């Protein structure tokens, strides 16, 4: 008979290859420390970022389940749970790092507490700050009300208002709690067998609350255990400012209420949650629009005010016939001028970072020439060439001065010079320090490496002097940060254990603020996160992709708009050539609104948030055999690396009959 399995670890992955690699490395070390049989499952929900190939190459001991679609968190976990043989089961997020003794500590606790059905641990964000969701209460209507309307945030330690995250309980002591976090759910297999697996009605979010509640209803206890710690980056799966997150998360709460609460309670809860959905969604949309539109509106207001002053001055002092300009000048003509100036400035790069004065001047100049040329053909709207030229000059001045003022308020200097490269220190051996430097250079990171700090005591002085960039040992880390004004620390996972890294993150002073990143052992990706509400990020050895340069992205967006307008105008004729006529019209509107792009990446992972693509460059490949996923990714990366707007037009023409396809 095969040896009994002490623990089954299940990790569900979806397009977070770099975080998954680090998580599995930490799992491997924790398995070694436990010293008992452990099986590790990775369930991949049809990732397109090379996750499957990475797991096969680096972690042959892992039991890999490959899905052909994204079937959701609950169903994917259940696939592995159906095969798991462990006495205990751990559901672990891929964007986590666990300490070496985590498995041993958790198994010991569960062994000593036979009534424990589930266990959660102390979770920290990428900066070492405690995550309050490490311990939670059941979201009853009143608890949800206090959270939704901000009372929990205002009074986090109140026993009444702070129940959602149990802020009144000491985070450094063990407590019996009601709800475990889905990022780390350490479960007793016997308890799971009794209460059932995850409820697949929850696609994402809410399934952890549901299972925790069923455990307590089944007579088991859930515990918060701070005896071990994990880092939870809260990566791709947690974008809390997005509208989609608001709808998915709060609707999961509605599913929970209808399933577990009495009809009267469920109705009140559903009403409250639906109110919260629209409130939070409106705030999310409003915040995003404000962030994008506010600079443009401010520029437009400054130009409009200047144009009013110029008009008044010109008609009183320089107009051949000193009569006022007609009302339509300020009501119609000037807003049109402003629209042309700001559009041209945008396309020129006036809203890119860092600010470039020449980009602003170039855009306004092009806009001024365009306005002057078009006004020659419109006699009824030909007011004053002088005001157009003066308005163009004022527009340049207004845009530059506003940006200089904002720059001064933030950096206390008016110069638009590139911000100084941040100071980085490396915690690790000399060998790993050199590797970090190479990775930073190859990834194009603008930084100045001030030196490295070794984790062990320095050796006895030798005849040769120590390297010039050796700053000292970890005992001197706080002093090194202060003396060299270090803004970012990179920990080398080959030289420090996860426990050492976490302990340093927690113990280092909060001021001055320092960002933390980790280079996992034998990895080519330096991973970190700036706050608990920010998704994880990484420095990667990726090639420079021309597609994602600001100027190319603007041109691509302009091309999408013009192409969609042209196709809609020609729709009465063009639509008959489309096998999917309704889909063609829908896609034209989607691209016009920015929700989709005609051509883009579908198989390779795009940096940042980009519109989903209708066509892939791989669709235009002329081949008689189906392309492998790896080949499709390579074709897309070549497209992104060498992108030109003409490439999109070529692909659109070659795949013209596929413009109505759904993705």
């Amino acid at each position: 008979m095969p040896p009994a399995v002490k623990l089954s670890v299940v990790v569900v992955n979806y397009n977070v290859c770099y975080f998954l690699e680090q998580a599995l490395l930490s799992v491997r070390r924790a398995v070694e420390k436990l010293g008992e049989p452990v099986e590790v499952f990775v369930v991949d929900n049809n990732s397109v970022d090379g996750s499957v190939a990475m797991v096969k190459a680096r972690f042959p001991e892992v039991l890999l389940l490959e899905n052909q679609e994204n079937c959701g968190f609950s169903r994917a976990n259940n696939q592995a749970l159906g095969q798991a043989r462990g006495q205990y089961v751990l559901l672990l997020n891929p964007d986590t790092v666990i300490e070496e003794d985590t498995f041993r500590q958790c198994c010991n606790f569960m062994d000593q507490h036979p009534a424990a059905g589930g266990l959660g641990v102390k979770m920290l964000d990428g900066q070492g700050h405690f995550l309050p969701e490490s311990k939670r209460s059941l979201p009853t209507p009143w608890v949800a009300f206090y959270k939704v309307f901000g009372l929990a945030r205002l009074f986090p330690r109140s026993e009444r208002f702070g129940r959602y995250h149990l802020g009144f309980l000491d985070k450094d002591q063990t407590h019996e709690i009601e709800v475990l976090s889905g990022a780390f759910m350490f479960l007793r297999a016997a308890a799971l067998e009794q209460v059932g697996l995850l409820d697949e009605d929850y696609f994402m979010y809410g399934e952890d609350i549901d299972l925790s509640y069923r455990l307590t209803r089944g007579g088991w206890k859930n515990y918060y255990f701070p005896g071990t710690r994990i880092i939870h980056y809260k990566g791709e799966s947690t974008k809390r400012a997005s509208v989609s997150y608001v709808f998915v998360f709060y609707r999961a709460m509605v599913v929970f209420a209808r399933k577990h609460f009495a009809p009267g309670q469920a109705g009140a809860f559903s009403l409250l949650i639906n109110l919260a959905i629209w409130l939070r969604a409106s705030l999310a949309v409003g915040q995003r629009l404000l962030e994008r539109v506010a600079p443009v509106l401010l520029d437009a207001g400054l130009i409009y005010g200047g144009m009013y002053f110029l008009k008044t001055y010109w008609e009183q002092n320089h107009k051949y016939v000193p009569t006022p300009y007609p009302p339509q000048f300020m009501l119609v003509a000037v807003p049109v001028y402003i629209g042309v100036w700001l559009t041209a400035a945008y396309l020129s790069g006036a809203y890119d970072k860092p600010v470039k004065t020449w980009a602003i001047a170039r855009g306004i100049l092009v806009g001024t020439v365009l306005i002057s040329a078009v006004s020659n053909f419109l006699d009824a709207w030909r007011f004053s060439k002088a005001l157009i030229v003066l308005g163009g000059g004022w527009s340049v001045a207004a845009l530059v001065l506003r940006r200089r003022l904002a720059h001064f308020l933030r950096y206390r200097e008016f110069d638009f010079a590139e911000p100084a490269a941040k100071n980085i220190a490396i915690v690790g051996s000399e060998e790993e320090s050199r590797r970090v430097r190479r990775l930073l250079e190859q990834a194009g990171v603008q930084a100045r490496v001030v030196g490295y700090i070794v984790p062990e005591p320095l050796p006895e002085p030798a005849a040769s002097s120590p390297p010039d960039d050796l700053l000292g040992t970890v005992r001197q880390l706080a002093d090194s940060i202060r003396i060299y004004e270090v803004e970012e620390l990179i920990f080398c996972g080959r030289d420090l254990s996860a426990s050492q890294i976490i302990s340093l993150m927690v113990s280092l002073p909060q001021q001055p603020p320092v960002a933390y990143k980790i280079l996992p052992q034998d990895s080519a990706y330096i991973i970190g996160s700036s706050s608990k509400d920010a998704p994880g990020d990484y420095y990667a050895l990726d090639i420079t992709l021309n597609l994602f340069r600001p100027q190319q992205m603007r041109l691509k967006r302009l091309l999408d708009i013009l192409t969609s307008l042209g196709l809609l105008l020609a729709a009465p004729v063009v639509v008959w050539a489309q096998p999917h006529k309704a889909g063609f019209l829908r896609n034209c509107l989607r691209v016009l609104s920015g929700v989709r792009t005609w051509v883009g990446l579908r198989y390779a992972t795009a940096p940042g948030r980009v519109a989903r693509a209708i066509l892939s460059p791989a669709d235009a490949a002329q081949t008689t055999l189906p392309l492998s996923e790896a080949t499709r990714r390579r074709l897309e990366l070549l497209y992104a690396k060498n992108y030109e707007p003409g490439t999109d037009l070529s692909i659109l023409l070659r795949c013209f009959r596929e413009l109505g396809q759904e993705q």
Side-chain angles (χ1 to χ4, degrees), residues 86-97:
Q87 177 186 354
Y88 301 117
V89 174
L90 171 62
L91 307 185
L92 183 69
N93 268 24
D95 54 346
T96 56
V97 180

Side-chain angles (χ1 to χ4, degrees), residues 7 43 63 91 96 134-135 163 167 209 222 266 347 368 405 420 443 451 460-461 485 498-499 548 585 589 639 662-663:
L7 175 65
V43 187
L63 302 170
L91 307 185
T96 56
S134 301
K135 47 184 174 62
R163 284 203 61 80
I209 299 175
N222 295 324
L347 294 174
T368 302
L405 179 60
E460 292 296 325
E485 298 180 344
S499 297
F548 297 104
L585 295 174
L589 295 174
Y639 159 83
E662 294 286 343
Q663 293 299 332

Side-chain angles (χ1 to χ4, degrees), residues 229-244:
R229 302 163 298 186
I230 72 168
I231 297 173
H232 182 205
Y233 288 115
K234 303 171 74 168
E236 296 301 315
S237 63
T238 309
K239 301 190 185 301
R240 295 180 179 271
S242 70
V243 177
S244 59

Side-chain angles (χ1 to χ4, degrees), residues 294-313:
V296 180
L297 292 178
L298 190 54
D299 288 339
L302 288 172
I303 297 174
Y304 190 88
M307 287 299 294
Y308 181 83
F309 172 81
L310 288 170
K311 174 196 78 81
T312 304
Y313 171 80

Side-chain angles (χ1 to χ4, degrees), residues 126-193:
Q127 291 299 100
H129 301 140
F130 176 73
L131 289 172
E133 54 265 37
S134 301
K135 47 184 174 62
R136 288 184 293 171
S137 176
L138 195 68
T140 60
W142 278 114
V143 171
F145 177 86
Y146 298 143
K147 181 184 187 315
V148 166
F149 291 97
L151 292 171
R153 182 184 290 270
L154 287 174
F155 308 103
R157 297 188 181 278
S158 166
E159 290 195 32
R160 174 184 291 273
F161 301 124
R163 284 203 61 80
Y164 188 84
H165 286 135
L166 300 173
F168 52 90
L169 296 182
D170 189 339
K171 68 179 184 297
D172 296 318
Q173 293 184 5
T174 300
H175 300 284
E176 188 176 334
I177 59 174
E178 292 176 322
V179 175
L180 307 169
S181 169
F184 185 101
M185 294 187 79
F186 201 97
L187 305 164
R188 190 181 301 273
L192 267 182
E193 185 176 355

Side-chain angles (χ1 to χ4, degrees), residues 337 340-346 348 350 357-373 388-397 399:
Y337 296 169
V340 174
W341 278 324
L342 293 183
T343 300
Y346 168 78
S348 177
T357 301
W358 62 265
I360 296 172
R362 179 181 61 188
I364 297 297
L365 176 62
V366 170
T368 302
V369 171
L370 184 62
I371 293 168
S372 299
I388 294 174
V389 174
L390 290 172
W394 164 245
S395 297
V396 173
L399 267 62

